[in-house]
Coordinates of all heavy atoms in Angstrom, one line a residue:
V198 N -16.0 13.8 -7.2 CA -15.0 14.5 -6.4 C -15.5 15.1 -5.2 O -14.8 15.1 -4.1 CB -14.3 15.6 -7.4 CG1 -13.4 16.5 -6.5 CG2 -13.5 14.9 -8.5
L199 N -16.7 15.7 -5.2 CA -17.2 16.3 -4.0 C -17.3 15.3 -2.8 O -16.9 15.5 -1.7 CB -18.6 16.9 -4.3 CG -19.3 17.5 -3.1 CD1 -18.6 18.7 -2.6 CD2 -20.8 17.8 -3.5
F200 N -17.9 14.1 -3.1 CA -18.1 13.1 -2.1 C -16.8 12.5 -1.8 O -16.5 12.2 -0.6 CB -19.1 12.1 -2.5 CG -20.5 12.5 -2.3 CD1 -21.1 13.4 -3.2 CD2 -21.3 11.9 -1.3 CE1 -22.5 13.7 -3.0 CE2 -22.6 12.3 -1.1 CZ -23.2 13.2 -2.0
G201 N -16.0 12.1 -2.8 CA -14.8 11.4 -2.6 C -13.7 12.2 -1.9 O -13.2 11.7 -0.8
T202 N -13.3 13.3 -2.4 CA -12.3 14.1 -1.8 C -12.8 14.7 -0.4 O -12.0 14.9 0.5 CB -11.8 15.2 -2.7 OG1 -12.8 16.1 -3.0 CG2 -11.2 14.7 -3.9
G203 N -14.1 15.0 -0.4 CA -14.7 15.4 0.9 C -14.5 14.4 2.0 O -14.3 14.7 3.1
A204 N -14.7 13.1 1.6 CA -14.5 12.0 2.6 C -13.0 12.0 3.1 O -12.8 11.8 4.3 CB -14.8 10.7 2.0
V205 N -12.1 12.2 2.2 CA -10.7 12.2 2.6 C -10.4 13.4 3.5 O -9.7 13.3 4.5 CB -9.7 12.3 1.3 CG1 -8.3 12.4 1.7 CG2 -10.0 11.0 0.4
A206 N -11.0 14.6 3.1 CA -10.8 15.8 4.0 C -11.3 15.5 5.4 O -10.7 15.9 6.4 CB -11.4 17.0 3.3
A207 N -12.5 14.9 5.5 CA -13.1 14.7 6.8 C -12.2 13.7 7.6 O -12.1 13.8 8.8 CB -14.5 14.1 6.6
A208 N -11.6 12.7 6.9 CA -10.8 11.7 7.6 C -9.5 12.4 8.1 O -9.1 12.1 9.2 CB -10.4 10.6 6.6
V209 N -8.9 13.2 7.3 CA -7.6 13.9 7.7 C -7.8 14.9 8.8 O -7.1 14.9 9.8 CB -6.9 14.6 6.5 CG1 -5.8 15.4 6.9 CG2 -6.5 13.5 5.4
L210 N -8.8 15.7 8.6 CA -9.0 16.9 9.6 C -9.8 16.5 10.8 O -9.5 17.0 11.9 CB -9.8 18.0 8.9 CG -9.1 18.6 7.6 CD1 -10.1 19.5 6.9 CD2 -7.9 19.3 8.0
Y211 N -10.7 15.6 10.7 CA -11.6 15.3 11.9 C -11.5 13.8 12.3 O -12.3 13.4 13.2 CB -13.0 15.7 11.6 CG -13.2 17.1 11.3 CD1 -13.3 17.7 10.0 CD2 -13.3 18.0 12.4 CE1 -13.5 19.0 9.8 CE2 -13.4 19.4 12.2 CZ -13.5 19.9 10.9 OH -13.7 21.2 10.7
D212 N -10.7 13.0 11.7 CA -10.7 11.6 12.0 C -12.1 11.0 11.9 O -12.5 10.1 12.6 CB -10.2 11.3 13.4 CG -8.7 11.6 13.5 OD1 -7.9 11.4 12.6 OD2 -8.3 12.1 14.6
A213 N -12.8 11.5 10.9 CA -14.2 11.1 10.7 C -14.4 9.6 10.2 O -15.3 9.0 10.5 CB -14.9 12.0 9.8

Side-chain angles (χ1 to χ4, degrees):
V198 169
L199 177 66
F200 279 76
T202 61
V205 178
V209 171
L210 299 171
Y211 295 102
D212 293 324

